[in-house]
Amino acid sequence: MRRADPRSIAVWTVVALVGATGWTVLALARDEEVSAAWMVAAALGSYAIAYRFYSKFIAYRVLRVDARRATPAERLDNGIDYHPTDRRVLLGHHFAAIAGAGPLVGPVLAAQMGYLPGTIWIVVGVIFAGAVQDMVVLFFSTRRDGKSLGQMARDEIGPFGGAAALLAAFAIMIILLGVLALVIVNALAESPWGTFSIAMTIPIALLMGFYLRVLRPGRVSEVSLIGIALLLIALVAGRWVAESSLADTFTLAPSTLVVWLVAYGFVASILPVWMLLAPRDYLSTFMKIGTILLLALGVLVTLPTLKMDPVTDFASRGDGPVFAGSLFPFVFITIACGALSGFHALISSGTTPKMIQKETQVRMIGYGSMLMESAVAIMALVAASIIDPGLYFAMNAPAGVVGDTVQEASKAVAGFGYSISPAELAQAAKNVEESSLLSRTGGAPTLAVGVSEIFSKVTGGSMRAFWYHFAIMFEALFILTALDAGTRVGRFMLQDMLGNVYKPFRNVSWKPGLILTSAAVTGLWGYFLWVGVHEPLGGINQLFPIFGIANQLLAAVALTVCTTLLVKSGRLKWAWITAVPLAWDATVTLTASWQKVFSGDRRVGFFTQRSIYQDAIDDGKVLPPAKSMDDMHTIVTNSTVDGVLSAVLALLIVIVIVDAARVCYRHISDPEASRLSEAPFVESRLTAPAGLFPTPEEKREALEKADSLEKAEPTR
């Protein structure tokens, strides 16, 4: 047993003290100014301790990762979907794929409850639930040739619960992709800077893919420098294009963007993973991580004060203007991707297990990527909490609540218990060169204002508008990488489902199946997106209200599958690692589903809302946000659909959990009767480090393997 290094003990003691001090200040500060730096310190200290100790315990003690075992990327390498990918590139791809709208938008919206509940859930949730889910799903999928979450459920739980899991996972996936695409359209519509810069990442990624595959295989550092340089040029050129005669060319209407997004999603889904998807996601990671690191550094340099209350009155009253419902369960639904997200389980059982070189890398890629995303969520919460609360509520409350003028908005905000003058609202919009910031709902504009507030204190107030529009474009890039990877994962899921009926579909690289399922997936979310863009109350807008609950219900499926596999694989004593977060997530999401279906509050319960609007139709009245009787009928339809879907999805998840409990009980009673669908052991011939930087032992192993291969080559 290795003796503890005194220097290591000292370093980790300091890290623990920094994190503990941050938590102490956040918890005990009342009626006094608190620097946002303490929030950053609490989060980063906690992340470091969790990764160093908890993730290592799970990877090596619980999962027992085996570097000697060949992964599906090595055994099934076909250059299309299965391809051993350098851990640094794969880390970038996985992070970019999971980091969509959630970590940017959810924390901003949840700030209406105060900064403390969100901070606790983001940090504690990711350490014990989100990062654990991502790593464990990635491990078990890697052991099963990269099978999708739904297919693993069918194989390990059984046809009944498995069918419910497959159906729920695919339906939720289409909803998630449609919502992600809608956010991108809203961010890029009429934005030549963002459209040009993001469009340029595609040829840059293709260049990087061919560079690594054909020109200079294995030269990750070289291609990284080239990619970063070209990305920076694209960003600078984007602003130049927006101010030039080319602006009209890259100023696209929402409907045009829909066509381009659907076409891009289809192409990205069928091209070899090394050609576009992986290098593009890896490239975008530099911008994502670079921006977040600069944001954290800006907080530490400028030390902005948290202006939002630690816990607001809306947390207990449940009548917040941003979203209705009490702190429990809706903060834990609103903040998803930064703490726990079912979408991540689809990526961890989709593209990533088909590309990972070594089982030992699941810790860095699965657990580590999720900690990185959680850090993004913390910075988003910081950005929302340092701006004036009056401005926050004026931006995030709907127009029907705050009105159309700064005078009306100022009066409405005063009714919430906060104050901001009409002149201050007008000046805030002028600072970022916007005509108005009122009712800029969805979270993205609020985040952009917070980012501009921090960066402008470093670079000067005259740069505030630049940083605001940069943040808007940054968010679109952030989300697009989740859309292309998600579309490919949706294709895998559909192929797994159809493979149960027609065996050729089980080969995910079978070209006819690849093309047909890619077209089906892009066609489904593309249809909802097209209708949503053309009808403000239709299409994906109809499904938007169940986005958060659907995502967290999917996490319940993932944690159920993980718990079942831990039990069936002889790890019963460690099953609590996923069973405890499963119990919490199931309680939260099923409570939220119950309230959304049966609550008597019109702002919470779908069927109550349906009844009120139907009664108004019968009386010939038009209620906001409807502007016509046609809108009234659409709202009635939407409320009915959302209520039924909420009930059906919750029922499917209950079926999965109950059937999994039956399987676990049967295994505990008779372990010999259980069967695992794990792929057989094959000795690996690859050498690759487990972490970002190789250890001395890993360097020595790589040299020894290279020498042995050189000796094995026949002499010419």
Side-chain angles (χ1 to χ4, degrees), residues 533-554:
V533 165
H534 290 84
E535 298 180 19
L537 296 175
I540 197 59
N541 298 301
Q542 181 184 56
L543 303 176
F544 196 90
I546 64 172
F547 170 78
I549 291 177
N551 189 30
Q552 297 303 67
L553 285 172
L554 188 56

Side-chain angles (χ1 to χ4, degrees), residues 94-105:
H94 185 80
F95 169 73
I98 65 173
L104 297 173
V105 174

